[in-house]
Amino acid sequence: MKNIGVLFALLIFCEIKCAVASPGDGLHTWKRFNQLSNPGDKAFLYDTFPEHFMWSVGTAAYQIEGAHDKDGKGLSIWDTFNRGGTRIVKGDVGSDSYHNIPGDIHALKLLGVNHYRFSISWSRIFPNGSVSSYNEKGANYYKKLINRLKEIKVQPVVTLYHWDLPDNLQSRYGGWGNPILVDLFKEYADFCFKTYGDDVKYWITIDNPFVIAWHGYGTGKVAPGIKTDSDLPYRVGHNLLKAHAAAWHTYDKHYRAKQGGKVSMALASHWVQPIRARHENQRACQCSLDFVLGWFARPLFVDGDYPPCMKHKLSHRLPVFTEMERLHISGTADFFALSHSPSLSFQLNTSFLFGQDEELDLRRLMYWIHAEYNNPPIFVVESGWFVQTTTKTKDATCITYLKRFIIDTLKSIRYDNVTVIGYTAWSLVDGFEWHREYTIRRGLYYVDFNTPDLRREPKTSATFYSKLIEKNGFPLLPEHQPVQGVFPCNFAWGVAANSIQIETTPTQFADPSVYIWNISGNGELQRLEGVQAPPVRRVRHCLDYATIRQQVSDVQRLRVSHFHFSLNWSSITPTGNVEEANATLLGYYLCFVGELSRANITPVVTLWHHTVGRSSIPAPLEGGWQNKETVWVFADYARLCFQWLGAHVKMWITLAEPNEETLGYVAGHHLLLAHGMAWRVYDREFRPTHGGKVSLVLHMDWVEPAVSFSRQDVEPVNRVLAFRIGWFAEPIFGSGDYPALMRSWLQHRNSLDLFNYQLPTFSEEERQLVKGTYDFFAINHYTTVTVLDSTENKYTYTKLLEVQFVYDATWIKAQDAWVVPFGLRKALNWVHSHYKDVPIYVMANGVKEDPTQFKDNMRVYYLYNYINEALKAHILDGVNLQGYFAYGLNDLLDPGFGMYGYVQDEVFEKASLSHYRNIIDHNGFPAPESPPQQCPRPAKPCSGCHILAKHSVVGFLSLLGSALVITMGLTLYYATRKHS
């Protein structure tokens, strides 16, 4: 009869649960996120958290308390574990929080959190693990801590067990492998509820039972370090669940009504992505999560039993719950306490991935929990990142990951309707990091372990977190919103390509074969074998080149006004001698720019483009740009190009992206002289007749401070920009010399590196040659990087500039770059502020994407947002922006960057092409209600008009002759008509 009652109760419970939850619904998570817009869904979300959101920070007793044998405390399994084997580093002192409650309270107050998660050391209150060994001094330590928290209005979130089992329970009973610990833990929990419960509203019974079971009693990586029985982890997990349930029921029965608190178990998990978009791969991902998270979550939140996947794969190895135990365990969690941290990767055995890929994605994990367990309220009770132990207070990497996880949490709330009630940054202070000991740091506060008082100092991550809490998120500011408006009427819309397709034989007349129509058959042409037509004796025309017609047509379909491409110096003058120039190739280029002009497209031509590994310098020029002779050879080459092409080319680029750091300072000096000399040649010999403009293009990706809380944080940015941009910009657009910051910094470095860095000096003649040789300021801009003047990662540290480059984990990642639209606006403003009112052109701006994708959504997003930032610079900041060129035209010449794609020799227009064309048609982003922009239509080009303008006599005689011919024709026509 008793069993029937239990079965009936269990049946009723399951019916209630099934009415609102369907275990396995988390399987839809992968499909859902695959259908979200990309990259729009990955963009930074500017918004705030719900009004009563819980902002917390956390610690664990063994990591920070120290005082391992003070005031009657007993040994824990970690005290013993760290004294065994070859381990020499111990957590005996930690951060010495036991003796420094005021220091921790001060740190919490500065952070501005409203909750503080800490754990109680079981062996500090009960040295041998049983209530009979009560230690009053240990219990009073936590009373004092809670009272101090009340004074600063911070609510405690208390963990009863964070991995530090009293060693006596391990040595006497075998630890969590013995069911006797269930009752012992229940007694310990009962004491804590009774003693501290009036001031505690959130309880966590056990932290991360997966690590305890699998690595404490399976792999032996953490205390107690047992690895002798492959089935023991499952028995340990079984007992941990029963111990948690016993504590929960104790609270529910004796304390909940009076204290009004909530109890849960902190569960941790990875995230896993299917290697293929197949149902079986998604099933494998689901099973992977069940083996780590579902192992404990399903018994608590669903039906009191293990996931079917575990039961199927483990069979008899997995303990079995009785019906009474299932009923006792199910529903014993008042909220979902989620732990998410960098230690998760170490927790996994690759066998738990079932052939799939592990990823770092808190948002998807929370949605999976939301779907799988019927939308429980989620409290993120541990989240954060780490830096190496050598990093002190500038922990930029921690900031980026902290921001990323918080953004994931915000998107879960705003986009996914997941109920998230709080977030806990880990941890408050640096401490003993378990199996990693002191090799990493995770604290928001730096602890100097070499000082007697273990002095605490806020890191930049602490400043970031406190400001975030103060604003309750990331409020939307005007600069974050797209701007509406249009560019000036004469704005230059262009497209850029590194080169053009060359075909110096006219394809229209290259085939001498004779063909006939197959009239009776399919109507196709058939070639007559052995018969050839006589050679065609006619003058070649530019339209004979099919490649020119095709390329000009491709550019026309974009409806741009300008097309930018580079010449091939080594092909035009293979020996470097202009007397031996390739006239055929020059003729092809002349045809190309001529056809562009006839199509009303302005050619923008670069003489030399530095592309790493593919720069076209004539081979005979020994030493390349290291040789000063190259300067004069380049000037002759420039003159040759001006002579051949200048009538059609009104915008010239002497050098594109010469500011490549690997070229070195001597080569850079010669490049500046070469540019100056070429500019002077044009200005003196060709400008009066051609009326064009000449400048150079600098590669200018933006540099943002990785941390930006003081003026000092901007110094590494200024240093990098001086070396990357000012290196070429200041001699031409500014003083005629290299930036003062550049010279002074190299003097500093030379004192350290025995004069390894020699920056050339301009003679007065060279200064006058170079200074002022510009008609506009042109940049190529693609992405942004952050920088700081400390070392977190030696692989991204630059010794010369003493800076480290860091990428923000919240930025959208494209194929080989980060998408950071605001960087373009800041780059334009930098130029504007340093060289007032100079006309600026963005000569190349684009992103690489899978060339096989018709819907290049990343490029569509990129173009819209980067162009909008350029519009902000023009409208809001007063930047004299004259033009914008998208990069590039097609994938054939610029693989992955093109707006035309190729699949099996078939050309197709990508989505970005029509998107860019639409922006051009509207000349920006006009407000819907605004009237159309009134721009005068450009006059159609008149071939031959320039001759009439320059030679008035010839013009007059030509007009007179034309009138005479027309008059004679009309006379003959009417005379013939009258005669008829």
Side-chain angles (χ1 to χ4, degrees):
M1 194 70 184
K2 181 179 179 182
N3 288 338
I4 293 174
V6 171
L7 283 171
F8 180 74
L10 188 60
L11 181 63
I12 294 296
F13 173 80
C14 287
E15 286 181 352
I16 294 172
K17 294 292 286 186
C18 291
V20 292
S22 298
D25 279 358
L27 186 61
H28 304 301
T29 302
W30 292 276
K31 181 179 179 181
R32 176 187 184 273
F33 279 89
N34 285 340
Q35 293 174 340
L36 296 179
S37 66
N38 183 30
D41 184 66
K42 291 182 169 57
F44 196 92
L45 173 60
Y46 290 99
D47 205 341
T48 55
F49 285 83
E51 184 178 356
H52 300 294
F53 193 77
M54 295 187 291
W55 292 107
S56 178
V57 67
T59 58
Y62 185 76
Q63 292 185 283
I64 68 161
E65 282 184 4
H68 77 289
D69 59 354
K70 298 291 179 65
D71 295 336
K73 179 186 175 296
L75 293 177
S76 74
I77 55 174
W78 275 94
D79 293 318
T80 305
F81 180 71
N82 284 330
R83 285 166 170 75
T86 58
R87 289 175 293 276
I88 57 174
V89 179
K90 308 175 183 65
D92 293 354
V93 177
S95 312
D96 201 28
S97 288
Y98 184 79
H99 297 112
N100 197 5
I101 288 180
D104 289 350
I105 294 295
H106 179 70
L108 290 166
K109 190 173 182 180
L110 290 178
L111 281 178
V113 294
N114 48 40
H115 287 72
Y116 173 47
R117 181 191 171 193
F118 65 91
S119 73
I120 294 175
S121 171
W122 189 345
S123 60
R124 190 175 296 282
I125 297 178
F126 302 117
N128 69 12
S130 67
V131 293
S132 60
S133 61
Y134 173 64
N135 175 26
E136 186 176 4
K137 288 185 178 180
N140 287 340
Y141 165 73
Y142 298 107
K143 288 180 180 178
K144 181 179 179 182
L145 175 59
I146 291 172
N147 287 334
R148 292 299 306 274
L149 290 173
K150 287 172 63 177
E151 292 174 7
I152 61 170
K153 295 180 171 56
V154 171
Q155 292 288 327
V157 179
V158 179
T159 303
L160 295 177
Y161 180 72
H162 201 130
W163 307 2
D164 50 348
L165 186 72
D167 187 62
N168 179 63
L169 300 184
Q170 181 63 42
S171 59
R172 185 174 180 182
Y173 301 114
W176 287 107
N178 192 327
I180 197 173
L181 261 71
V182 173
D183 288 332
L184 290 171
F185 183 76
K186 175 184 174 182
E187 293 174 355
Y188 161 58
D190 182 69
F191 171 86
C192 293
F193 296 149
K194 179 171 56 180
T195 307
Y196 310 115
D198 289 342
D199 298 311
V200 178
K201 301 306 176 188
Y202 284 91
W203 291 96
I204 292 169
T205 56
I206 298 166
D207 180 85
N208 202 339
F210 176 85
V211 167
I212 298 168
W214 189 255
H215 288 301
Y217 293 85
T219 67
K221 289 183 178 179
V222 302
I226 295 172
K227 48 185 175 182
T228 56
D229 183 350
S230 60
D231 291 342
L232 180 58
Y234 303 113
R235 297 198 298 272
V236 168
H238 204 69
N239 291 331
L240 288 168
L241 280 165
K242 291 196 285 187
H244 159 78
W248 187 91
H249 283 287
T250 297
Y251 188 86
D252 191 59
K253 182 178 180 180
H254 301 291
Y255 302 102
R256 189 185 302 276
K258 178 175 179 291
Q259 297 177 357
K262 297 180 180 180
V263 182
S264 190
M265 173 189 270
L267 306 181
S269 182
H270 62 308
W271 180 249
V272 61
Q273 279 291 103
I275 58 173
R276 294 182 185 86
R278 297 176 180 173
H279 190 67
E280 58 266 30
N281 296 103
Q282 294 176 1
R283 284 280 183 192
C285 291
Q286 180 85 357
C287 192
S288 176
L289 292 173
D290 276 341
F291 259 77
V292 179
L293 184 59
W295 182 0
F296 300 94
R298 182 171 177 125
L300 299 182
F301 290 92
V302 180
D303 58 7
D305 203 358
Y306 298 116
C309 175
M310 284 190 77
K311 295 167 75 173
H312 173 73
K313 289 183 178 292
L314 295 174
S315 185
H316 65 279
R317 297 179 62 193
L318 196 62
V320 177
F321 289 114
T322 66
E323 293 164 359
M324 182 67 76
E325 288 172 339
R326 287 177 58 194
L327 187 63
H328 190 67
I329 292 171
S330 182
T332 57
D334 302 320
F335 58 96
F336 200 112
L338 177 62
S339 176
H340 184 261
S341 68
S343 61
L344 295 178
S345 294
F346 120 84
Q347 295 171 15
L348 288 181
N349 183 313
T350 53
S351 62
F352 285 145
L353 294 176
F354 302 118
Q356 310 309 306
D357 290 334
E358 183 187 1
E359 288 192 4
L360 197 67
D361 200 314
L362 177 58
R363 179 184 171 189
R364 296 189 187 207
L365 176 60
M366 289 198 287
Y367 185 84
W368 186 87
I369 293 168
H370 160 84
E372 187 75 7
Y373 303 120
N374 192 37
N375 192 24
I378 299 174
F379 188 174
V380 180
V381 294
E382 177 180 349
S383 179
W385 204 245
F386 66 94
V387 292
Q388 299 302 315
T389 189
T390 52
T391 301
K392 295 189 176 180
T393 58
K394 290 190 176 181
D395 55 341
T397 302
C398 282
I399 292 178
T400 65
Y401 279 98
L402 189 62
K403 184 163 56 172
R404 172 179 169 175
F405 298 145
I406 294 172
I407 283 293
D408 275 353
T409 305
L410 184 57
K411 287 181 177 180
S412 291
I413 296 170
R414 299 303 183 197
Y415 291 168
D416 308 330
N417 294 318
V418 176
T419 305
V420 188
I421 61 175
Y423 180 89
T424 304
W426 198 272
S427 66
L428 176 64
V429 293
D430 292 333
F432 182 84
E433 291 298 335
W434 308 112
H435 66 292
R436 296 178 182 178
E437 300 170 347
Y438 292 106
T439 60
I440 64 170
R441 293 175 179 268
R442 293 189 63 194
L444 298 177
Y445 281 77
Y446 174 78
V447 176
D448 189 343
F449 296 109
N450 296 318
T451 57
D453 59 348
L454 276 67
R455 185 174 63 253
R456 288 143 167 74
E457 186 177 352
K459 300 181 186 178
T460 50
S461 57
T463 306
F464 164 77
Y465 195 46
S466 66
K467 290 182 180 296
L468 172 74
I469 293 170
E470 181 183 341
K471 297 175 182 177
N472 198 34
F474 308 93
L476 181 66
L477 300 176
E479 60 260 33
H480 303 147
Q481 297 176 299
V483 69
Q484 293 181 329
V486 293
F487 290 94
C489 286
N490 60 345
F491 193 73
W493 289 104
V495 63
N498 278 334
S499 59
I500 60 172
Q501 192 174 350
I502 304 294
E503 180 188 35
T504 53
T505 302
T507 54
Q508 187 171 343
F509 302 98
D511 187 358
S513 301
V514 176
Y515 297 83
I516 62 171
W517 275 286
N518 180 11
I519 300 174
S520 60
N522 55 14
E524 292 183 352
L525 289 172
Q526 291 184 340
R527 188 164 63 90
L528 292 178
E529 297 292 339
V531 180
Q532 288 191 341
V536 177
R537 302 189 181 278
R538 64 184 288 277
V539 178
R540 292 180 179 180
H541 298 287
C542 290
L543 288 178
D544 294 344
Y545 297 101
T547 53
I548 290 180
R549 296 197 306 271
Q550 182 61 53
Q551 291 177 92
V552 172
S553 175
D554 288 345
V555 175
Q556 275 185 298
R557 285 202 293 274
L558 273 165
R559 293 203 276 271
V560 294
S561 59
H562 291 65
F563 178 59
H564 177 206
F565 68 96
S566 300
L567 304 177
N568 190 313
W569 181 9
S570 61
S571 296
I572 292 175
T573 58
T575 65
N577 186 350
V578 295
E579 301 296 330
E580 301 171 2
N582 185 338
T584 303
L585 180 57
L586 281 167
Y588 182 88
Y589 281 129
L590 177 60
C591 279
F592 188 82
V593 296
E595 291 305 311
L596 283 173
S597 297
R598 272 183 276 280
N600 207 23
I601 298 169
T602 301
V604 182
V605 177
T606 290
L607 297 176
W608 183 77
H609 187 178
H610 175 66
T611 51
V612 179
R614 297 187 292 114
S615 296
S616 62
I617 299 178
L621 296 179
E622 295 183 7
W625 288 111
Q626 298 291 333
N627 184 351
K628 195 171 184 179
E629 291 295 323
T630 306
V631 174
W632 284 276
V633 176
F634 180 79
D636 290 339
Y637 159 66
R639 180 181 287 106
L640 176 71
C641 295
F642 297 151
Q643 288 170 342
W644 273 80
L645 311 178
H648 295 292
V649 178
K650 304 307 176 187
M651 284 188 72
W652 288 96
I653 303 297
T654 57
L655 308 169
E657 302 186 336
N659 53 326
E660 169 58 47
E661 298 168 41
T662 57
L663 284 172
Y665 300 130
V666 173
H669 196 74
H670 294 160
L671 283 161
L672 281 163
L673 297 178
H675 160 77
M677 197 169 290
W679 193 92
R680 300 290 178 191
V681 166
Y682 188 88
D683 190 59
R684 183 173 55 250
E685 302 176 26
F686 298 95
R687 195 187 299 274
T689 55
H690 293 167
K693 298 177 180 179
V694 185
S695 195
L696 81 170
V697 174
L698 299 181
H699 183 178
M700 189 180 184
D701 287 339
W702 182 243
V703 184
E704 189 77 358
V707 292
S708 54
F709 302 120
S710 70
R711 182 173 298 178
Q712 182 183 358
D713 298 329
V714 183
E715 290 178 3
V717 171
N718 294 334
R719 191 183 315 147
V720 173
L721 290 173
F723 272 78
R724 286 187 172 181
I725 313 303
W727 176 21
F728 274 76
E730 191 60 21
I732 296 171
F733 299 89
S735 64
D737 196 3
Y738 296 114
L741 174 58
M742 192 176 180
R743 283 202 180 279
S744 63
W745 183 261
L746 287 177
Q747 289 173 0
H748 157 71
R749 286 303 312 177
N750 282 333
S751 65
L752 302 175
D753 298 315
L754 300 178
F755 302 95
N756 286 343
Y757 311 105
Q758 297 298 324
L759 189 63
T761 302
F762 287 103
S763 67
E764 186 57 34
E765 182 183 357
E766 289 175 339
R767 187 192 303 270
Q768 294 304 319
L769 172 68
V770 172
K771 184 179 179 181
T773 53
Y774 68 91
D775 296 308
F776 53 88
F777 197 116
I779 65 171
N780 288 351
H781 175 89
Y782 305 99
T783 188
T784 294
V785 66
T786 65
V787 66
L788 72 158
D789 56 353
S790 63
T791 309
E792 285 188 5
N793 185 340
K794 64 180 180 180
Y795 299 107
T796 59
Y797 182 77
T798 301
K799 182 180 178 182
L800 168 62
L801 300 180
E802 297 180 10
V803 297
Q804 178 181 332
F805 295 102
V806 183
Y807 289 100
D808 192 319
T810 63
W811 291 346
I812 296 173
K813 182 70 166 68
Q815 194 168 0
D816 64 351
W818 298 88
V819 179
V820 194
F822 69 76
L824 176 57
R825 181 182 178 186
K826 293 195 174 187
L828 293 171
N829 271 282
W830 187 92
V831 177
H832 175 68
S833 65
H834 282 73
Y835 310 107
K836 289 291 185 184
D837 296 325
V838 63
I840 305 173
Y841 289 83
V842 178
M843 278 296 178
N845 179 237
V847 66
K848 190 173 185 179
E849 199 168 2
D850 183 353
T852 63
Q853 294 297 315
F854 288 76
K855 293 184 177 180
D856 51 344
N857 295 331
M858 182 67 77
R859 187 171 292 105
V860 169
Y861 176 90
Y862 184 99
L863 289 173
Y864 175 89
N865 286 280
Y866 273 81
I867 295 173
N868 197 269
E869 290 296 321
L871 184 61
K872 290 178 185 178
H874 171 67
I875 292 178
L876 304 178
D877 308 329
V879 173
N880 186 13
L881 184 62
Q882 298 285 312
Y884 172 91
F885 290 66
Y887 174 70
L889 180 62
N890 62 55
D891 286 333
L892 187 65
L893 298 171
D894 299 297
F897 285 91
M899 287 181 276
Y900 287 99
Y902 292 82
V903 175
Q904 297 179 347
D905 296 329
E906 291 292 326
V907 182
F908 63 90
E909 293 185 6
K910 300 181 185 178
S912 58
L913 189 146
S914 60
H915 177 81
Y916 184 44
R917 186 166 55 206
N918 183 61
I919 294 175
I920 294 172
D921 289 344
H922 292 87
N923 203 28
F925 309 91
E929 68 280 359
S930 63
Q933 187 180 18
Q934 299 299 321
C935 290
R937 290 188 177 184
K940 291 186 177 181
C942 170
S943 58
C945 288
H946 63 285
I947 297 176
L948 300 179
K950 293 174 185 174
H951 305 284
S952 56
V953 175
V954 175
F956 173 74
L957 293 175
S958 298
L959 290 171
L960 187 63
S962 299
L964 182 61
V965 170
I966 292 169
T967 303
M968 290 177 65
L970 289 171
T971 302
L972 287 171
Y973 170 75
Y974 284 110
T976 304
R977 186 175 180 186
K978 184 177 181 181
H979 177 75
S980 300

